[in-house]
């Protein structure tokens, strides 16, 4: 019979312990876990990206249900252990399950501290610890109302950034004069506050909470000085306390945490404790790195393997808020026997401080540029005498002894035992060793085999450089195709960072995302211009010099340098007056070719560039506007004749097509968007091969999308059936907006849909009424700025320089 | 050299181009992001595309017809493509722009 191992708590520490134990002694124990949280083991660290909307819960699960089944582990989800009987060697859960043990592991983690002020129990007051808290915050955020976060530490700031990202108006209250004062000195705390405020989050320091006010639910927070800050959501993130009540009741030694020795054994030899609930050598911990070390020690002890002992070490602190880089390590208080080296670069927002004692680093604070954190950490850990490099120390590793500033060279120069992944305590040698020994080829492999970069992810860049270093040319980084040669970032990363960092001009994007060229190229500039137009419709000034010539002059360039002009014919319908106007223009400007296009309108080809404004002026007088035949934007909405004329028509397809075209024209999209509305399933408008199509039926309007009939041919997918024209418009607007916000530049709808899944699109724009409304409203908002006829603008003088030569020279001389 | 005034630097948007009409055809005059001025024939070495209509980046322009990238400094096609277009001396004096027309005349001769 195998021995019985019972674990209380299923957090990150025991999860890791089990992995080590299963490796060292797979069959030794039969394992039972009780977890108060009703779910599997997940990466608690990554709750902040979930809150910010950057990740889904599924992506942060560490051990899915299958893992427990595979290893024969019994997991009681939603069972809180309420008693340990040390004589009988049993534990009992609040659901009435009693289980006996040979060995017991207590890993109950921490509980958030709640400041004992009046109103602390009101609905709308939350803490930040588990998925339930995140879900509650996401729900509260839907109201887009005001949130107050009490606590300006790591958790509080991550919560604030996430809530802001979700559209709330957020204020952070911090009792001390500067933020994160336990990890940062005042200078860095000040820079952090500026960076936080720059994202639109209000910060109040020296703010002492007196009460939370409200009648039946939260309405605001009152400070000691009488100030009242209105709020519908209050998040308390003021610290954690080890969760020790259970152990105390069982009579184990408890101090701040459950007291354990350096082999994580409690005062009862059958019981171990690890994680945030444990106290080792007088320390309790709140970051995963030391907890993972405890997990290793516990697994070794349970497997009767090596004699592994826990040794204290400082863990660096990083903040997981996209766009804010800070790093803090060790002791940085001033002192008689200490000296410090400081570097400030105000314009770049950089501050670095290294604290020395006896020529050895004891503390480091980095803000704005944290790449050298691992190197400083290594020097500190090894207690390296830095006297020789004192003058250049603060500039970082790249400036030392001939090492170039190439990031690869800097990583190459790290010693094999230099720590790369702080969370999991993985050093360089272990990673490069695993890459070679196990033939690893990618980031996911390295994560699976070494755990490096598998927790908070902030060392991902370093791990990728190690892959590059070890594999050389053979390394193909994560299949993320860079946008172009000017950057190593892919389209998706750039889009995400534009939003996350609030970047609103092309130079800002290039500066902040470290473009390798001074002003981009013909691939990235049009893409960036589109992303900015899409993301900041009311704030971004369109950069015409970053548009392809067709979009710059609002006509299609031809092989001989002349242009073609295609006016809009709403829904393919025209009139005698319109045709007459076109005929007049053709005569007047001697236009060599007039052609009916495949998009149900008329193309005039071979127009001289200088003539364009005058052609438009005449067309404009007849009521024509640009057909955007040149645009990555809405092109045509083809229609058939529908109920007005056709004996089979079920709805007014012509009318709906015109309505859609009038609603959507002018919008810029990642690639062109073509639509059609057919009056019945005979489908004469060919709606089932369009980017978006509507097929009218007796019961309403069948909305189609993701068709193609150009380079690829593909029938559409059905998005769903709606009853009214209004609903059809809302669904189509939402669909196009989702596409506008998510697709990569030049990616047609069918390619985007294939990449993210048509089910996901249906879920968001058809099934989720609130999401649909929000997309729709954002589309309507952006149309306010987009529906300006570019032709009439140019007729009235805009971009005059585009259309005529700046000078004519030499003709007289030639005549002589 | 025969410098001919063709206008002011403000006539050309940064990262943009304008044309100058001459008896031998159009000359494209470029202004880079850092306000350097270059003049080349407005005729792509590939299939004659109007280079003045391309996107300007660094000291290069991407042809609007088939995306060849032409160096404004040397007139040579960059990357894998081969070909070159004639460059014309250009300079800025204060705000005023000049190109050297003699070079053109000598070609015509
Ligand atoms: C004028 C027209 C052909 C005609 O005489 O009928 C035409 C002309 C051009 N098409 Fe088209 N397409 C025209 C209808 C179509 C259609 C049919 C339709 O819209 O119902 C298709 C297939 C549907 C589709 O878009 O997938 C079509 C698929 C393409 C493609 C392939 C797109 C793809 O992603 O597969 C290109 C190339 C591209 O966009 O990169 C293209 C590109 C072009 C360009 C813009 C080539 C270029 O870059 O210079 C041509 C411009 C000629 C000009 O100067 O006017 N054209 N083109 C049609 C204008 C429609 C309009 O009123 O706006
Ligand atoms: C939002 C957030 C961000 C963080 N970011 C970072 C970071 O960037 N870097 C870093 O290093 N650390 C970070 N941390 C801290 C890190 O997540 C914790 O240190 C770590 O999860 C603690 O692991 P643990 O196993 O000790 O406890 P936990 O992971 O808290 O697990 C304890 C589990 O035990 C259960 N439990 C408690 N009592 C009982 C009982 N009586 N019976 C049954 N089950 C019980 C609880 O429900 C809980 O599921 C973050 C924490 C949060 C909340
Ligand atoms: S099919 Fe379209 S792109 Fe090809 S030649 Fe005809 S108009 Fe031009
Ligand atoms: S004509 Fe310039 S690239 Fe073809």
């Amino acid at each position: 019979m195998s021995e019985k191992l019972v674990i209380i708590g299923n957090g990150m520490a025991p999860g890791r312990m089990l992995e080590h134990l299963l490796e060292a002694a797979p069959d030794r124990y039969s394992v039972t876990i009780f977890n108060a949280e009703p779910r599997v083991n997940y990466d608690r660290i990554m709750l902040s990206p979930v809150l910010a909307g950057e990740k889904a819960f599924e992506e942060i699960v560490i051990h899915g249900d299958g893992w427990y089944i595979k290893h024969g582990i019994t997991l009681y989800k939603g069972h809180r252990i309420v008693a340990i009987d040390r004589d009988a060697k049993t534990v009992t859960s609040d659901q009435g399950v009693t289980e006996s043990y040979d060995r017991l592991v207590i890993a109950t983690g921490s509980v958030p501290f709640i400041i004992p002020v009046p109103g602390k129990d009101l609905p709308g007051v939350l803490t930040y610890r588990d998925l339930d808290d995140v879900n509650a915050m996401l729900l509260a955020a839907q109201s887009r109302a005001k949130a107050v976060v009490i606590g300006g530490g790591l958790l509080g700031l991550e919560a604030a950034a996430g809530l802001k990202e979700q559209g709330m108006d957020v204020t952070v209250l911090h009792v001390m004069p500067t933020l994160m004062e336990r990890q940062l000195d005042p200078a860095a705390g000040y820079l952090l506050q500026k960076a936080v405020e720059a994202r639109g989050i209000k910060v109040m320091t020296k703010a002492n909470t007196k009460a939370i006010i409200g009648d039946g639910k939260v309405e605001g927070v009152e400070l000691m000085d009488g100030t009242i800050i209105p709020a519908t959501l209050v998040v308390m993130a003021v610290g954690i306390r080890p969760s020790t009540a259970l152990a105390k009741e069982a009579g184990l030694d408890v101090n701040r945490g459950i007291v354990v020795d350096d082999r994580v054994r409690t005062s009862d030899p059958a019981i171990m404790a690890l994680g945030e609930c444990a106290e080792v050598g007088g320390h309790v911990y709140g970051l995963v790195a030391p907890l993972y070390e405890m997990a290793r020690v516990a697994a070794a002890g349970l497997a009767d393997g090596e004699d592994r002992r826990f040794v204290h070490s400082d863990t660096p602190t990083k903040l997981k808020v996209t766009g804010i880089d800070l790093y803090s390590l060790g002791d940085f208080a001033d002192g008689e026997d200490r000296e410090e080296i400081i570097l400030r670069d105000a314009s770049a927002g950089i501050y670095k401080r290294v604290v020395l004692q006896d020529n050895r680093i004891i503390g480091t604070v980095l803000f704005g540029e944290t790449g050298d954190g691992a190197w400083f950490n290594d020097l500190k850990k090894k207690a390296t005498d830095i006297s020789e490099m004192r003058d250049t120390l603060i500039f970082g590793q790249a400036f030392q002894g001939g090492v170039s500033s190439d990031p690869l060279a800097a990583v190459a120069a790290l010693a094999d035992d230099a720590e790369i992944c702080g969370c999991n305590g993985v050093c360089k040698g272990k990673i490069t060793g695993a890459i070679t020994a196990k033939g690893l080829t990618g980031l996911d492999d390295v994560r699976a085999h070494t755990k490096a970069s598998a927790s908070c992810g902030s060392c991902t860049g370093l791990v990728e450089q190690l892959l590059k270093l070890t594999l050389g040319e053979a390394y193909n980084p994560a299949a993320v195709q860079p946008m172009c040669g000017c950057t190593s970032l892919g389209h998706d990363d750039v889009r995400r960072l534009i939003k996350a960092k609030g970047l609103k001009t092309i130079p800002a994007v290039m500066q902040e995302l470290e473009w390798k060229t001074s002003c981009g190229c013909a691939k990235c500039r049009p893409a960036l211009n589109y992303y900015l137009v899409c993301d900041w419709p009311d704030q971004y000034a369109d950069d015409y010099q970053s548009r392809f010539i067709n979009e710059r002059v609002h006509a299609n360039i031809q092989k001989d340098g002349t242009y073609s002009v295609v006016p809009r014919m709403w829904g393919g319908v025209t009139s005698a007056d319109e045709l007459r106007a076109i005929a007049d223009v053709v005569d007047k400007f001697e236009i060599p070719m007039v052609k009916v296009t495949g998009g149900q309108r008329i193309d005039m080809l071979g127009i001289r560039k200088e003539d364009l404004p005058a052609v438009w002026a005449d067309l404009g007088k007849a009521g024509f506007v640009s057909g955007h035949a040149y645009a990555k934007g809405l092109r045509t909405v083809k229609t058939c004749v529908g109920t007005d004329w056709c004996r089979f028509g079920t709805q007014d397809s012509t009318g709906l097509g015109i309505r859609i075209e009038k609603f959507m024209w002018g919008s810029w999209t990642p690639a062109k968007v073509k639509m059609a509305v057919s009056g019945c399933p005979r489908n004469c408008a060919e709606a089932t091969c369009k980017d978006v199509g509507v097929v009218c039926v007796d019961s309403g309007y069948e909305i189609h999308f993701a068709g193609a009939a150009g380079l690829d041919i593909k029938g559409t997918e059905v998005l769903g059936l709606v009853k009214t024209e209004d609903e059809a418009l809302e669904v189509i607007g939402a669909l196009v907006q989702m596409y506008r916000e998510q697709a990569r530049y030049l990616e047609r709808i069918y390619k985007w849909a294939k990449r993210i899944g048509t089910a996901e699109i249906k879920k968001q724009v058809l099934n989720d009424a609130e999401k649909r409304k929000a997309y729709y409203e954002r589309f309507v908002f952006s149309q306010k700025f987009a529906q300006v006829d570019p032709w009439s603008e140019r007729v009235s003088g805009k971009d005059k320089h585009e259309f005529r030569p700046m000078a004519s020279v030499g003709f007289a001389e030639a005549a002589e | 050299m025969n410098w001919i005034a063709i206008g002011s630097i403000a006539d050309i948007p940064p990262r943009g181009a304008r044309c100058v009409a001459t008896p031998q055809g159009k000359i494209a005059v470029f202004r880079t992001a850092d306000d350097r001025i270059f003049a080349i024939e407005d005729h792509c070495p590939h299939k004659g595309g109007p280079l003045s209509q391309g996107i300007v980046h660094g000291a290069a322009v991407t042809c609007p017809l088939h995306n060849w990238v032409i160096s404004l400094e040397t007139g040579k096609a960059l990357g894998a493509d081969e070909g070159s277009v004639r460059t014309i001396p250009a300079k800025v004096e204060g705000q005023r722009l000049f190109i050297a027309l003699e070079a053109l005349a000598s070609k015509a001769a």
Side-chain angles (χ1 to χ4, degrees):
Chain A
M1 263 293 280
S2 53
E3 293 163 76
K4 282 184 168 175
L5 170 64
V6 170
I7 302 171
I8 307 177
N10 194 31
M12 301 186 67
R16 179 55 61 87
M17 176 195 81
L18 281 173
E19 288 178 10
H20 291 302
L21 183 60
L22 289 171
E23 207 169 290
D27 303 314
R28 167 125 183 219
Y29 293 97
S30 95
V31 181
T32 304
I33 310 173
F34 290 90
N35 197 27
E37 266 186 82
R39 52 186 67 92
V40 292
N41 179 25
Y42 62 93
D43 193 347
R44 195 176 299 288
I45 298 184
M46 297 311 260
L47 284 175
S48 295
V50 173
L51 178 63
E54 291 163 12
K55 277 194 190 295
F57 177 68
E58 294 69 37
E59 293 175 74
I60 69 165
V61 166
I62 298 177
H63 299 139
D65 285 305
W67 187 85
Y68 297 94
I69 294 167
K70 178 170 153 213
H71 295 289
I73 294 172
T74 310
L75 169 62
Y76 286 97
K77 297 180 197 170
H79 280 247
R80 175 177 295 278
I81 294 298
V82 288
I84 303 173
D85 184 337
R86 285 168 52 200
D87 298 327
K89 287 197 162 180
T90 60
V91 300
T92 303
S93 84
D94 57 353
Q95 316 271 344
V97 174
T98 299
E99 185 71 43
S100 64
Y101 64 82
D102 298 307
R103 308 288 292 270
L104 179 65
V105 171
I106 305 179
T108 45
S110 301
V111 284
F113 181 66
I114 297 184
I115 16 178
V117 291
K120 68 179 168 43
D121 298 321
L122 282 171
V125 182
L126 298 175
T127 54
Y128 188 18
R129 181 71 192 170
D130 59 26
L131 182 69
D132 298 322
D133 297 328
V134 170
N135 285 338
M137 283 190 239
L138 287 174
L139 194 69
Q142 285 181 2
S143 68
R144 315 238 151 200
K146 288 182 193 300
V148 167
V149 176
I150 306 181
L154 189 83
L155 282 190
L157 293 177
E158 291 189 5
L163 291 169
K164 179 75 198 170
E165 206 63 36
Q166 295 297 339
M168 293 194 88
D169 175 343
V170 185
T171 306
V172 174
L173 304 180
H174 192 55
V175 71
M176 302 302 287
T178 56
L179 295 177
M180 286 184 74
E181 76 289 345
R182 276 190 292 161
Q183 290 89 10
L184 297 181
D185 57 16
Y190 164 78
L191 284 173
L192 174 60
Q193 179 168 347
K194 280 210 325 199
V196 169
E197 285 169 344
R199 327 180 127 229
I201 296 169
K202 292 179 210 88
V203 177
M204 298 176 70
T205 53
K206 297 188 228 161
N208 208 342
T209 304
K210 180 172 166 201
I212 297 173
I213 50 179
D215 188 10
K217 61 176 182 1
V218 170
E219 284 161 18
V221 176
E222 181 177 358
L223 302 182
M224 287 298 181
D225 67 5
T227 315
I228 290 180
I229 304 139
T232 51
L233 170 69
V234 173
V235 179
M236 276 203 201
V238 290
I240 52 173
R241 298 283 176 273
S243 179
T244 57
L246 188 64
K248 201 181 257 171
E249 247 166 64
L252 298 173
D253 280 358
V254 171
N255 193 12
R256 264 207 297 161
I258 304 168
V259 178
V260 296
D261 64 10
D262 61 0
R263 297 166 76 184
V264 304
R265 296 172 305 194
T266 67
S267 51
D268 178 335
I271 306 180
M272 291 178 166
L274 75 157
E276 286 186 345
C277 63
E279 177 177 327
V280 199
H283 291 280
V284 292
Y285 295 92
L287 291 171
V288 289
L291 310 186
Y292 281 170
E293 183 51 30
M294 289 182 205
R296 240 172 252 135
V297 171
L302 286 170
D304 283 331
E306 46 173 334
D307 176 30
R308 202 171 172 126
R309 286 160 191 269
F310 183 86
V311 205
H312 168 81
S313 72
D314 288 327
T315 308
T317 304
K318 299 162 195 167
L319 184 70
K320 298 186 302 300
V321 174
T322 317
I324 300 184
D325 293 326
L326 68 79
Y327 180 100
S328 134
L329 175 78
D331 184 352
F332 48 81
D334 296 325
E336 286 277 299
D337 54 344
R338 298 174 172 191
E339 51 176 330
E340 57 181 20
I341 305 177
I342 293 180
L343 176 141
R344 288 178 207 267
D345 181 342
S347 61
I350 292 172
Y351 169 81
K352 300 184 185 185
R353 173 159 169 252
V354 174
V355 180
L356 304 173
Q357 193 168 31
D358 297 333
N359 288 325
R360 285 168 178 84
I361 297 179
I362 59 165
T364 307
V365 179
L366 307 176
F367 190 93
E369 193 182 280
T370 54
D372 281 310
W375 183 66
F376 286 126
N377 188 4
D378 198 46
L379 293 175
K380 169 173 176 293
K381 225 184 218 167
K382 297 213 183 100
T384 309
D385 186 329
I386 56 83
S387 341
E388 302 241 301
M389 50 183 160
R390 179 184 302 268
D391 291 345
T392 54
L393 181 70
I394 196 78
F395 296 102
Q397 186 183 20
F399 282 81
Q400 311 309 319
V403 184
S404 82
S405 64
D406 173 5
L408 265 191
V411 178
L414 283 177
D416 265 354
D417 60 352
E419 184 173 89
I420 299 293
C421 172
C423 291
N424 292 293
V426 190
C427 63
K428 175 182 162 189
K430 177 146 183 219
I431 299 173
T432 50
I435 294 173
T436 323
K438 304 203 170 114
L440 311 184
T441 57
L443 189 60
D444 286 340
D445 284 350
V446 174
R447 286 181 177 153
H449 284 94
T450 69
K451 297 283 176 218
S453 137
S455 294
C456 83
S458 62
C459 63
T460 304
L462 288 178
V463 173
E464 289 191 311
Q465 283 169 353
L466 286 176
L467 276 160
K468 218 180 283 168
L469 214 58
T470 318
L471 298 176
E473 290 293 299
Y475 176 56
N476 172 17
V480 170
Q481 188 75 23
M483 274 179 74
C484 63
C486 305
T487 175
S488 49
L489 295 169
H491 283 270
D492 298 338
D493 284 339
V494 170
R495 288 212 81 167
R496 193 169 47 74
L497 291 166
I498 285 175
K499 291 292 270 189
K501 294 187 159 208
L503 305 176
K504 297 187 181 165
T505 62
I506 289 179
V509 174
M510 291 182 176
Q511 178 63 29
E512 290 288 320
L513 307 187
E514 297 174 358
W515 239 242
K516 294 178 211 155
T517 51
S518 66
C519 77
C521 71
K523 273 197 186 140
C524 58
R525 286 234 308 271
L528 294 179
N529 190 57
Y530 166 70
Y531 295 153
L532 294 165
V533 165
C534 172
D535 287 344
W536 319 106
D538 53 337
Q539 298 173 46
Y540 177 63
D542 202 322
D543 177 22
Y544 267 79
Q545 295 310 130
S546 294
R547 286 192 178 271
F548 182 64
I549 182 66
N550 287 359
E551 291 188 351
R552 197 163 359 117
V553 301
H554 296 276
N556 294 57
I557 193 165
Q558 305 294 305
K559 58 185 282 189
D560 61 356
T562 63
Y563 285 82
S564 77
V565 162
V566 184
R568 248 179 223 293
M569 270 180 190
W570 308 98
V573 176
T574 185
S575 66
D577 284 344
E578 281 189 357
L579 292 173
R580 206 170 283 120
I582 287 180
D584 288 344
V585 165
V586 170
D587 284 345
K588 177 165 165 192
F589 296 94
E590 297 170 330
I591 294 173
M593 165 105 151
V594 188
K595 182 181 179 303
V596 174
T597 73
Q600 298 190 344
R601 47 201 193 163
I602 290 175
D603 193 353
M604 288 160 265
L605 297 112
I607 302 176
R608 285 180 301 268
K609 194 180 186 191
E610 299 84 85
D611 288 341
L612 285 173
V615 166
W616 293 332
D618 283 5
L619 291 172
K621 278 181 216 143
F624 282 115
V625 296
S626 167
H628 291 91
Y630 46 79
K632 306 297 172 222
L634 179 81
R635 294 281 176 93
T636 53
V637 182
K638 302 205 319 182
T639 69
C640 71
V641 286
T643 37
D644 275 359
W645 300 96
C646 178
R647 64 203 165 105
F648 295 119
T650 61
Q651 311 280 357
D652 176 13
S653 51
T654 323
L656 176 58
I658 293 172
R659 205 175 147 194
I660 294 176
E661 192 166 354
K662 295 220 152 144
F663 173 55
M664 315 267 313
W665 75 272
S667 69
W668 299 106
T669 44
K672 55 191 171 187
V673 171
K674 297 175 173 181
M675 304 196 184
V677 184
S678 286
C680 85
R682 288 171 193 76
N683 191 22
C684 299
E686 299 167 326
T688 53
C689 64
K690 292 288 173 266
D691 297 289
V692 182
V694 178
V695 176
C696 301
V697 289
D698 276 327
S699 55
Y701 305 84
E702 199 174 71
I703 299 180
H704 289 241
F705 72 117
L711 298 163
D712 294 307
I713 301 194
K714 181 182 165 296
T716 45
E717 318 264 338
V718 177
L719 186 61
L721 180 77
V722 298
K723 290 214 175 54
T724 64
E725 280 195 1
D726 288 353
E727 286 170 272
L729 233 56
E730 182 173 305
V731 171
I732 292 171
L735 168 67
V736 171
Q737 182 65 13
M738 182 176 176
Y739 165 64
R740 296 180 75 228
E741 289 175 12
Q742 295 190 357
R744 301 168 186 165
Y745 190 62
L746 299 186
E747 187 176 47
R748 292 286 286 266
I749 288 193
Y750 73 99
K751 292 199 173 143
W752 163 71
K754 183 166 167 211
R755 184 161 61 77
I756 72 158
T758 48
E760 181 62 27
I761 298 171
K762 276 186 206 175
K763 198 169 101 197
Q764 297 205 21
V765 303
L766 202 76
N767 305 342
D768 185 337
E770 271 184 50
K771 271 233 162 79
R772 175 172 68 239
K773 269 239 149 55
Y775 277 127
Y776 174 79
E777 274 159 17
R778 288 202 290 278
F779 182 77
V780 171
F781 179 72
S782 83
Q783 284 298 77
K784 281 208 289 201
F785 309 93
Q787 289 194 328
V788 180
D789 176 37
W791 287 354
S792 65
E793 272 188 309
R794 276 151 193 82
V795 168
S796 51
K798 185 168 178 186
D799 289 344
K800 267 206 298 277
H801 62 81
E802 279 289 357
F803 301 98
R804 31 178 126 107
M806 69 188 296
S808 291
V809 296
F811 289 98
E813 285 142 68
E816 277 164 14
Chain B
M1 221 177 263
N2 184 14
W3 292 103
I4 304 232
I6 52 169
S8 135
I9 188 163
D11 295 339
I12 312 179
R15 298 171 304 157
R18 296 284 304 272
C19 286
V20 174
T22 78
Q24 286 90 34
K26 282 184 180 157
I27 294 171
V29 186
F30 294 84
R31 173 176 175 190
T32 64
D34 50 1
D35 285 343
R36 287 187 296 157
I37 297 291
F38 297 98
I40 60 179
E41 269 183 297
D42 193 19
H43 189 88
C44 178
H46 179 221
K47 293 192 173 175
L51 294 169
S52 59
Q53 321 283 293
I55 290 182
V56 182
H57 43 94
V61 61
T62 296
C63 177
L65 292 197
H66 317 99
N67 297 330
W68 279 30
V69 179
I70 309 293
S71 159
L72 299 177
E73 285 159 330
T74 64
K76 288 211 172 69
L78 299 173
D81 300 313
E82 278 180 31
S84 71
V85 50
R86 222 151 64 91
T87 58
I88 288 114
K91 69 172 180 181
V92 195
E93 286 276 338
Q95 290 294 300
R96 310 233 296 148
L97 299 184
F98 298 85
I99 54 172
L101 196 63
E102 249 167 18
L104 284 176
S106 68
K107 183 195 173 195

